[in-house]
């Protein structure tokens, strides 16, 4: 069996994508010298090199890659070796133009970017297997090889193709998934609008139609697209396992909800030997460190709680957003160590040396255009030393306080057309609930709705429009056994085929929540409603309201105005040994904090008022002890309490009582005992 950690890597991973083919060979010696100066332990190589490795069909040139890997090995730098199948060569597309993807409107993309692939195309699949086989045969036992890196960022920038090859493949997938055309008709509800099929051959992908198409078909096509791409990953992975036994195989995910919405990462996490992730700050005015923490927690959860690896992030600004500010002094280290705190066994970047040409020449790198005299370079060297001092953290697991339920397939279904309100955004609710938990200093795991939740005192459901009966039973059992559940509106509405559950809303959640919902009443843009509590407190909601009919649930907050005035807005249901909360409107940050405060009391989670806002405290525990990470994202010095004495690993100083964290700094304490 392949290992789940990079082979031969004895310290935390530190480095980045290395693209020596962009530079004359005379630069390579300088590169490795500076890598050693910075403390680089591993680099990713060959990800976009197909055209150079196979300049013509069946003709290979591995000489330059031989020299690069030899040079890295001589200098003690491990290699994450890519299969370059994200960017087939121009000659391939000239011979096989049908391998370029087609949009739902029938437009075929052209060569000249990256990731322009029809994943159902047989010629692409054969060519990808061919170059992967040749690489594995040549480098499968290379002494520098630490791990294999298949493709690059699957699903970005395009995942779905709607060509005739995909249509034929989709029909085969439907036969495997549903069995018969009658089962497809039942799943999709084709009796509506006269969409009934009598033969699978009549079915095409959900191409552009005059108005909204069949939502069941659209949801299945998203599943088919994800499954097809995973087929291609597995094909390359299995070649590498066979020809390079014992070496872990991965592909870099983009789990942040702000970056990729087309991959079901719960399924992908089961396919890789080591979960890796790319993360880039989205500069949209939000608190970027909260989005980072959320992505890291989500990645760790996809890994089943095991350590994972940050394979790409940026040293400073990127180049692909409307505005791309530089990172402030010290922010690179805070970002990197926040990922490590939340389970990453290292911090890798895109890329090592900043490109002079191409689309990403303004994307920051470890070695900037300005060279070693720059602030970025100095911070890179400092970060390398910091990671070296944290070697004991490798393999430790991050400890979580609560769970957030998330399901990519529910997100896909929710985002189909013709929902009650376009203002309800499941990603926004997930972000908002996560931020509220973050501000209560709770470390979060994410979990699939059907997974074992018994380890968590508090489980939050920010947006779960699609929910199976099995998931509903799972949440009911969780509450009955003593858990505290918080559910937000428009959850539990449809089954796995996007069919509304029989009976009143919210379907499989009715028993757990002790209520039904008679009718949705979304608000118009800009409208708000007031909620009043038993103690006279007031909250504010917008976007959504509902006519909630309590059964066994008690009303905690009531709508004070609007169409739903006098009806329950927030309810609480005692069931068995636990409690289930339901909120039927979109609460603002103050309201979410109040709601989660009440729920935390039910869950017996003590408030952490002694921790300042925007100062993270996260723990990892492993064979070498418990490590407390304290990360100060503010411009003010802060202190956090320590439950035991310890050694601060970045400074070597002893720590006890209250740990001082300078403004913008990070401290990591290995606790005694």
């Amino acid at each position: 069996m392949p290992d789940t950690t990079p082979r031969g890597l004895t310290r935390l991973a530190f480095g980045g994508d290395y693209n020596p083919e962009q530079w004359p060979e005379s630069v390579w010696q300088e590169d490795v010298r500076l890598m050693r100066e910075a403390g680089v332990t591993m680099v990713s190589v060959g990800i976009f090199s197909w055209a150079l490795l196979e300049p013509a069909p069946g003709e290979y040139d591995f000489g330059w890659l031989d020299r690069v890997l030899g040079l890295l090995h001589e200098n003690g730098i491990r290699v994450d070796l890519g299969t370059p199948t994200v960017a087939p060569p121009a000659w391939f597309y000239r011979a096989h133009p049908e391998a370029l993807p087609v949009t739902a409107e029938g437009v075929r993309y052209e060569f000249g970017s990256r990731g322009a692939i029809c994943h159902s195309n047989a010629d692409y699949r054969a060519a990808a297997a061919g170059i992967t086989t040749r690489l594995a045969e040549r480098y499968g036992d290379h002494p520098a090889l630490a791990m294999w890196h298949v493709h690059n960022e699957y699903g970005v920038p395009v995942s779905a193709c709607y060509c005739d090859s995909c249509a034929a493949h989709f029909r085969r997938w439907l036969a495997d998934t549903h069995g018969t055309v009658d089962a497809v008709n039942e799943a999709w509800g084709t009796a509506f609008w006269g969409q009934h099929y009598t033969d699978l051959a009549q079915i095409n992908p959900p191409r552009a139609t005059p108005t909204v198409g069949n939502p069941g078909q659209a949801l299945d096509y998203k599943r088919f697209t994800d499954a097809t791409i995973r087929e291609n990953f597995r094909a390359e992975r299995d070649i590498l396992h066979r020809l390079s036994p014992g070496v872990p195989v991965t592909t870099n995910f983009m789990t942040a909800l702000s970056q990729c919405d087309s991959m079901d990462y719960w399924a992908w996490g089961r396919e890789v030997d080591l979960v890796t992730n790319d993360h880039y700050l989205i500069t949209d005015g939000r608190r970027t460190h909260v989005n980072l923490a959320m992505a890291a927690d989500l990645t760790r959860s996809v890994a089943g709680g095991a350590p994972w690896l940050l394979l790409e992030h940026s040293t400073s600004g990127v180049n692909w957003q409307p505005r791309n500010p530089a990172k402030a002094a010290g922010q690179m280290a805070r970002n990197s160590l926040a990922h490590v705190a939340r389970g990453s066994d290292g911090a890798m970047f895109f890329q090592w040396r900043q490109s002079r040409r191409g689309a990403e020449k303004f994307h920051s790198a470890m070695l900037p255009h300005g060279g070693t005299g720059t602030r970025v370079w100095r911070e890179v060297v400092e970060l390398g030393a910091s990671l070296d001092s944290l070697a004991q953290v490798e393999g430790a697991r991050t400890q979580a306080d609560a769970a957030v339920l998330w399901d990519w397939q529910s997100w896909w279904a929710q985002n189909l057309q013709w929902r009650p309100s376009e203002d309800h955004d499941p990603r926004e609710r997930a972000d908002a609930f996560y931020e509220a938990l973050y501000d209560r200093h709770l470390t979060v795991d994410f979990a699939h709705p059907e997974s074992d939740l018994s380890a968590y005192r508090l489980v939050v459901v920010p947006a779960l429009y699609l929910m199976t009966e099995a998931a509903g039973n799972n949440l009911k059992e969780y509450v009955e056994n003593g858990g505290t559940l918080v559910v937000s509106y428009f959850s539990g509405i449809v089954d796995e085929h996007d069919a509304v559950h029989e009976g009143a809303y919210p379907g499989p959640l009715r028993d757990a929540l002790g209520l039904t919902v008679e009718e949705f009443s979304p608000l118009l843009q800009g409208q708000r409603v007031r909620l009043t509590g038993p103690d006279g407190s007031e909250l504010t909601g917008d976007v959504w309201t509902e006519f909630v009919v309590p059964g066994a649930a008690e009303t905690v907050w009531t709508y004070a105005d609007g169409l739903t005035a006098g009806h329950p807005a927030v309810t609480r249901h005692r069931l068995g040994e636990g409690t289930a909360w339901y909120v039927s409107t979109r609460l603002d940050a103050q309201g979410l904090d109040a709601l989660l405060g009440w729920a935390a009391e039910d869950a017996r989670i003590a408030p952490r008022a002694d921790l300042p806002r925007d100062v993270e405290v996260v723990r990892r525990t492993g064979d070498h002890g418990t490590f407390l990470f304290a990360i100060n994202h503010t411009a003010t010095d802060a202190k956090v309490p320590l439950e035991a004495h310890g050694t601060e690993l970045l400074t070597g100083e002893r720590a006890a009582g209250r740990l001082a964290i300078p403004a913008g700094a990070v401290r990591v304490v290995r606790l005694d005992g």
Side-chain angles (χ1 to χ4, degrees):
M1 292 290 294
D3 200 348
T4 59
T5 57
R7 189 179 66 166
L9 193 63
T10 58
R11 294 176 289 166
L12 295 178
F14 179 58
D17 284 31
Y18 181 38
N19 299 292
E21 63 271 28
Q22 296 180 15
W23 302 91
E25 201 160 336
S26 58
V27 176
W28 299 357
Q29 289 286 348
E30 179 189 15
D31 280 333
V32 295
R33 178 182 64 81
L34 292 175
M35 287 179 191
R36 293 182 65 178
E37 180 179 326
V40 166
T41 61
M42 185 168 73
V43 293
S44 301
V45 176
I47 296 168
F48 295 100
S49 301
W50 194 343
L52 297 180
L53 294 170
E54 189 178 6
E59 298 179 13
Y60 300 95
D61 178 8
F62 293 112
W64 68 271
L65 187 54
D66 290 345
R67 295 191 293 278
V68 168
L69 297 189
L71 184 61
L72 292 168
H73 176 60
E74 291 168 8
N75 286 271
I77 299 165
R78 309 296 296 166
V79 173
D80 167 38
L81 186 56
T83 68
T85 50
V86 68
W91 60 256
F92 171 81
Y93 286 121
R94 183 68 178 266
H96 307 288
E98 68 282 357
L100 289 161
V102 174
T103 68
E105 294 74 26
V107 176
R108 190 179 295 279
Y109 287 115
E110 267 293 349
F111 173 78
S113 180
R114 66 169 191 171
I117 296 163
C118 168
H119 283 275
S120 293
N121 182 266
D123 294 309
Y124 167 74
R125 290 183 166 205
I131 187 64
T132 299
T133 298
R134 294 302 295 264
L135 284 165
E137 289 173 340
R138 191 173 189 92
Y139 302 112
D141 60 355
H142 195 285
L145 181 64
M147 54 192 276
W148 288 101
H149 180 311
V150 172
H151 205 269
N152 185 73
E153 294 179 346
Y154 279 112
V156 178
V158 61
S159 55
C161 173
Y162 299 83
C163 72
D164 289 341
S165 293
C166 289
H169 193 182
F170 183 42
R171 295 176 199 123
R172 295 192 298 272
W173 182 87
L174 289 172
D176 291 340
T177 303
H178 295 284
T180 66
V181 68
D182 289 340
V184 173
N185 283 319
E186 176 65 22
W188 294 358
T190 57
F192 185 80
W193 277 2
Q195 298 169 350
H196 186 79
Y197 298 101
T198 57
D199 194 307
L200 290 176
Q202 298 165 358
I203 300 176
N204 280 321
R207 295 166 176 158
T209 52
T211 185
V212 176
N214 186 298
Q217 178 189 22
L219 178 57
D220 259 357
Y221 203 73
K222 289 179 179 293
R223 291 172 173 141
F224 157 76
T225 296
D226 175 59
T228 299
I229 295 174
R230 263 186 286 124
E231 283 180 19
N232 286 355
F233 167 76
R234 282 197 298 267
E236 292 190 47
R237 178 202 64 192
D238 291 350
I239 291 169
L240 298 169
H241 280 171
R242 176 170 55 86
L243 297 175
S244 184
V247 179
V249 179
T250 191
T251 185
N252 44 338
F253 297 167
M254 299 191 76
T255 63
L257 305 186
S258 53
Q259 293 177 200
C260 183
D261 63 359
S262 58
M263 301 289 99
D264 181 354
Y265 285 120
W266 293 126
W268 279 88
R270 296 189 292 269
E271 301 289 354
V272 296
D273 299 325
L274 168 67
V275 167
T276 62
N277 195 54
D278 297 352
H279 182 264
Y280 292 96
L281 301 181
I282 304 300
T283 53
D284 59 359
R286 306 187 193 198
R287 297 155 72 199
T288 56
H289 57 278
V290 180
N291 174 272
L292 184 158
M294 182 176 177
D297 284 346
L298 189 48
T299 307
R300 182 186 69 253
S301 302
V302 166
W308 55 279
L309 179 58
L310 176 66
L311 210 50
E312 286 186 28
H313 72 312
S314 67
T315 56
S316 192
V318 297
N319 68 302
W320 38 265
Q321 299 183 78
R323 288 158 289 278
N324 298 287
K327 289 186 177 181
Q331 189 177 1
M332 179 204 307
R334 285 199 308 279
N335 290 167
S336 300
L337 296 177
H339 283 291
V340 174
R342 295 177 185 271
S344 177
D345 273 353
M348 305 275 286
F349 294 91
F350 180 86
Q351 58 181 323
W352 163 250
R353 183 183 284 269
Q354 196 168 15
S355 299
R356 290 186 55 225
R357 298 174 176 84
E360 295 187 285
K361 56 182 170 287
F362 298 118
H363 190 297
S364 61
M366 299 176 76
L367 183 61
H369 291 308
T372 58
T374 58
R375 172 182 67 89
V376 166
W377 172 254
R378 290 190 292 271
E379 291 193 15
V380 163
V381 174
E382 292 171 4
L383 178 58
S386 295
L387 288 171
D388 191 45
S389 69
L390 299 181
Q392 301 172 64
V393 174
E394 183 182 10
R397 290 186 171 232
T398 301
Q399 300 172 313
D401 303 297
V404 169
L405 298 195
W406 182 255
D407 181 15
W408 278 273
Q409 295 195 24
S410 177
W411 192 20
W412 299 342
Q414 168 68 74
N415 285 342
L416 297 175
Q417 294 171 290
W418 285 14
R419 299 310 187 222
S421 173
E422 66 178 15
D423 295 327
H424 169 50
D425 178 357
R427 178 198 153 193
E428 182 278 332
R429 283 293 81 189
D431 286 345
F433 271 92
Y434 181 89
E435 188 165 2
L437 292 164
Y438 178 96
D439 284 340
R440 298 189 73 83
H441 299 284
L442 299 179
T443 303
V444 169
D445 279 345
F446 285 81
H448 187 274
E450 296 180 13
S451 64
D452 180 5
L453 304 173
S454 59
Y456 306 104
R457 293 183 180 179
L458 175 64
V459 170
V460 174
V461 181
L464 206 56
Y465 161 77
L466 183 156
M467 180 182 285
T468 63
E469 290 286 349
N473 292 334
N474 188 42
L475 294 184
K476 180 184 176 185
E477 182 179 344
Y478 166 75
V479 176
E480 289 175 332
N481 289 335
T484 300
L485 178 68
V486 178
V487 178
S488 186
Y489 64 91
F490 207 44
S491 294
I493 306 303
V494 299
D495 66 12
E496 59 268 33
H497 303 301
D498 198 48
V500 174
H501 287 284
E502 289 189 15
Y505 307 128
L509 285 170
R510 291 189 298 256
D511 290 344
L513 297 177
L515 55 79
T516 59
V517 174
E518 186 174 292
E519 188 178 4
F520 308 133
S521 185
L523 300 177
L524 298 179
Q525 189 171 22
Q527 280 189 313
R528 286 174 170 75
V529 291
R530 290 182 302 112
L531 286 63
T532 56
D535 56 357
S537 61
E538 286 198 357
L539 304 178
T540 301
D542 66 359
V543 171
W544 192 277
T545 62
E546 294 175 346
F547 290 93
V548 174
V549 180
E554 62 178 299
T555 299
V556 181
W557 276 283
T558 303
Y559 288 112
D561 51 24
L563 285 179
T564 54
H567 289 267
V570 178
T571 62
R572 181 175 183 242
H573 181 218
R574 298 180 187 273
L575 179 65
E577 301 298 318
T579 306
W581 290 78
Y582 184 63
V583 54
S584 63
T585 186
R586 190 176 81 162
L587 296 176
D588 58 16
Q590 178 184 356
L592 284 179
D593 181 66
L595 170 66
L596 291 174
W598 284 50
E601 286 185 22
D602 283 346
R604 301 177 303 282
I605 297 175
R608 297 174 180 174
D610 53 354
L611 296 179
R613 189 172 193 261
D614 288 327
V615 176
E616 292 183 41
V617 176
V618 183
R619 289 167 177 79
R620 288 183 68 172
T621 299
D623 293 341
H624 299 289
T626 295
F627 303 89
L628 182 145
F629 286 75
I631 306 170
N632 187 351
H633 295 285
T634 78
T636 305
D637 294 350
K639 291 184 178 181
V640 300
L642 294 176
E643 66 267 30
H645 293 197
T647 301
E648 204 291 304
L649 299 179
L650 301 179
T651 63
E653 298 175 353
R654 291 291 293 167
R658 294 183 64 81
L659 175 68
I661 311 106
V666 180
R667 293 292 180 262
V668 183
V669 178
R670 182 186 182 280
L671 299 175
D672 294 343

